[in-house]
Amino acid sequence: MSGTFLGMPAFPEAARTAVRDERLRANLRHATHTIRDRRATAVAELDDWEELRAAGKEIKDRTLRHLDRYLVQLEAAVTAAGGTVHWAADAAEANRIVAELVRATGETEVVKVKSMATQEIGLNEHLAAEGITAYETDLAELIVQLGDDRPSHILVPAIHRNRAEIRQVFADRMASWGRPAPEGLTDEPAALAEAARLHLREKFLTAKVAVSGANFMVAETGTLVVLESEGNGRMCLTLPETLISVVGIEKVVPSWQDLEVFLQLLPRSSTAERMNPYTSMWTGTSAGDGPADFHLVLLDNGRTDTLADEVGRQALRCIRCSACLNVCPVYERAGGHAYGSAYPGPIGAILVPQLAGVGGELEASLPFASSLCGACYEVCPVAIDIPEVLVHLRERAVEEGPAHRVERVAMRAASWLLDHPAVLSAAERAASATRAVHPRRLPLPGAVGAWSEERDLPPVPAEPFRVWWAERGKGEQ
């Protein structure tokens, strides 16, 4: 999975560094609490929210059960509308297809609508290696790109930055795109937004190629749908001559009637709005209206394998609203970068190990990046039982992953001891006889030390239970 940040350590190590960053924690606490409070207010306005949530879950599950049929229907509809469909089995194939399509136009620059799928496959980096520059146009993505940073949130990729930091990024780096930041730039939101608007306007007007993702794809008509709040998506989707959309195969919905449910669920869950400010839809090509060439790259990249897992497949319901991040106590303290991929927070902890497998150190650690409090399930607009999937993936990580070797050795030793009652009894008697010299805490090496250094050992009783039972228990019956 190319979207896993290269060289990123396992979650515990990355989180250990993040939680010591007081500014980061303050930024995250302020932003996540603000978003989730507004969301709660927006959701409370609807008496039928739980019914909508159940409908979204059912639509997604029905679609996933018949995904092959709906994808074939989608391909036929897009083709009939003048578009071209490409199938990409993995990140490498998707990147190759997009690069070849851009090169065929003769262009060396593309503008981009915010897209989790292209982050997942590392498209920007691949295009750069091919001599093609990709310009992010979403405000938060622009901040991240100018700052040589990484996204840390699904909805607000620059959530880890405050206004003063953003102003400094603009002042320092906008000139690298050929247009310096305005003189006297302040950290007022309106001033920062205006600086970004002026900075991007030339790119919008001159770009010949755009790359997008999509929130939904309607199988019955071949229509793609993007929801965004700034209008940059509308510019990218209408002005260029060529549009290339990279979309995960799970984003398909059967009909417009199904889409209507998600157009209610997504805005309230993500931006706490009753209606999304910009909802852009396009179906193939139309002469004299919008891009003349439209290409849809349907991305698998582990999704078919995820679909085969009866417990884990519910992660494919995700509509990328980020509600689970905003209520997660682990995300609030560790931030998105600690998750080491394009998908942070609780949804990333269950999605990344399934798309990439639990064989890597980072992926094997992600299912353990949770307190299992259940807050993520309570706010999920499509009722993904994230705690259930986390426990399921923890089991897989223990069985398949490279970590937890010490735990496996300890469990084997305990199993052997319990299978030999005489040895167990002797160990219990020895522990009781030496209880006076037992330390209150037992310093252990490595990762286990983080657990043992914060916990007192339970006191050993004066005699083993077996002895107590033999002397007292039987006699009292």
Side-chain angles (χ1 to χ4, degrees):
M1 182 175 172
S2 298
T4 299
F5 301 135
L6 297 178
M8 285 295 292
F11 181 86
E13 183 180 344
R16 189 176 299 113
T17 301
V19 296
R20 296 191 180 109
D21 188 332
E22 294 184 5
R23 175 182 288 183
L24 171 66
R25 292 185 62 175
N27 292 348
L28 289 170
R29 183 168 54 252
H30 172 74
T32 56
H33 281 246
T34 299
I35 297 171
R36 76 192 196 190
D37 290 346
R38 290 176 179 171
R39 176 201 173 276
T41 300
V43 166
E45 294 177 350
L46 296 183
D47 294 333
D48 63 344
W49 177 258
E50 287 304 320
E51 288 79 4
L52 275 171
R53 187 174 182 240
K57 172 183 181 295
E58 197 283 327
I59 292 169
K60 279 289 188 177
D61 283 346
R62 171 166 49 89
T63 305
L64 291 171
R65 284 196 301 271
H66 305 287
L67 187 59
D68 54 345
R69 185 177 78 195
Y70 290 121
L71 288 173
V72 170
Q73 183 183 8
L74 174 73
E75 180 184 30
V78 170
T79 303
T84 304
V85 176
H86 310 262
W87 298 81
D90 53 27
E93 187 171 11
N95 285 331
R96 176 184 58 76
I97 291 169
V98 175
E100 289 177 354
L101 290 173
V102 176
R103 280 201 301 268
T105 68
E107 298 294 318
T108 58
E109 294 184 346
V110 301
V111 290
K112 286 188 64 195
V113 184
K114 178 184 175 185
S115 165
M116 299 297 295
T118 60
Q119 292 173 11
E120 174 190 327
I121 64 176
L123 178 63
N124 286 12
E125 293 77 9
H126 179 82
L127 292 179
E130 297 287 330
I132 301 166
T133 303
Y135 294 102
E136 298 289 352
T137 64
D138 174 84
L139 176 57
E141 292 285 356
L142 172 66
I143 295 165
V144 168
Q145 187 175 38
L146 286 175
D148 289 330
D149 205 347
R150 301 189 305 269
S152 64
H153 192 276
I154 290 175
L155 176 66
V156 193
I159 196 171
H160 55 288
R161 299 277 198 181
N162 60 32
R163 286 160 37 182
E165 292 175 296
I166 295 169
R167 190 208 70 81
Q168 194 61 50
V169 168
F170 281 8
D172 293 343
R173 300 303 303 275
M174 276 190 169
S176 66
W177 276 18
R179 185 187 184 100
E183 293 185 8
L185 179 65
T186 70
D187 63 2
E188 289 299 313
L192 295 172
E194 180 64 14
R197 185 179 299 112
L198 294 172
H199 187 67
L200 290 170
R201 184 57 56 92
E202 182 181 353
K203 297 299 179 186
F204 288 139
L205 296 176
T206 59
K208 303 296 184 184
V209 182
V211 175
S212 84
N215 294 97
F216 306 101
M217 303 180 290
V218 183
E220 67 178 359
T221 59
T223 303
L224 273 69
V225 185
V226 160
L227 281 68
E228 43 103 8
S229 301
E230 301 166 15
N232 62 297
R234 187 69 55 83
M235 301 285 277
C236 290
L237 297 168
T238 56
L239 294 178
E241 297 172 0
T242 299
L243 173 60
I244 305 167
S245 299
V246 182
V247 191
I249 56 175
E250 82 282 11
K251 295 296 185 70
V252 65
V253 296
S255 69
W256 283 83
Q257 185 176 5
D258 298 318
L259 176 65
E260 182 264 343
V261 173
F262 297 108
L263 293 184
Q264 296 181 72
L265 288 170
L266 182 54
R268 291 179 187 266
S269 286
S270 57
T271 56
E273 294 169 300
R274 298 179 182 90
M275 179 182 289
N276 202 68
Y278 292 90
T279 300
S280 300
M281 304 181 184
W282 65 101
T283 307
T285 60
S286 299
D289 182 13
D293 290 311
F294 169 58
H295 297 269
L296 171 60
V297 181
L298 290 171
L299 177 68
D300 189 324
N301 202 36
R303 286 160 174 79
T304 298
D305 292 337
T306 302
L307 188 61
D309 187 325
E310 293 185 2
V311 176
R313 70 173 60 150
Q314 58 185 297
L316 296 179
R317 291 185 210 143
C318 178
I319 58 175
R320 310 292 193 264
C321 70
S322 77
C324 62
L325 281 70
N326 299 326
V327 298
C328 178
V330 176
Y331 175 86
E332 180 184 326
R333 289 157 178 80
H337 292 160
Y339 292 83
S341 84
Y343 302 110
I347 187 61
I350 66 170
L351 187 59
V352 173
Q354 295 192 87
L355 296 182
V358 295
E361 184 179 7
L362 170 63
E363 291 80 8
S365 72
L366 287 176
F368 298 87
S370 171
S371 65
L372 299 180
C373 69
C376 50
Y377 170 68
E378 295 299 324
V379 299
C380 178
V382 287
I384 301 171
D385 193 340
I386 293 178
E388 178 188 32
V389 183
L390 285 167
V391 173
H392 172 65
L393 292 174
R394 288 180 183 188
E395 181 180 356
R396 274 183 51 188
V398 170
E399 293 175 351
E400 305 172 21
H404 314 294
R405 294 189 181 92
V406 174
E407 181 181 4
R408 284 198 290 270
V409 170
M411 290 299 103
R412 291 193 188 104
S415 178
W416 181 88
L417 186 63
L418 293 172
D419 281 341
H420 296 78
V423 179
L424 175 61
S425 179
E428 291 172 343
R429 289 195 298 271
S432 295
T434 58
R435 61 194 297 266
V437 297
H438 289 182
R440 182 181 176 188
R441 291 184 179 176
L442 182 62
L444 296 173
V448 186
W451 184 88
S452 63
E453 68 185 11
E454 301 295 336
R455 292 167 172 81
D456 292 341
L457 291 172
V460 177
E463 57 185 358
F465 175 79
R466 292 167 183 266
V467 175
W468 181 93
W469 180 252
E471 295 178 353
R472 298 174 180 79
K474 290 182 180 179
E476 293 176 1
Q477 286 185 336

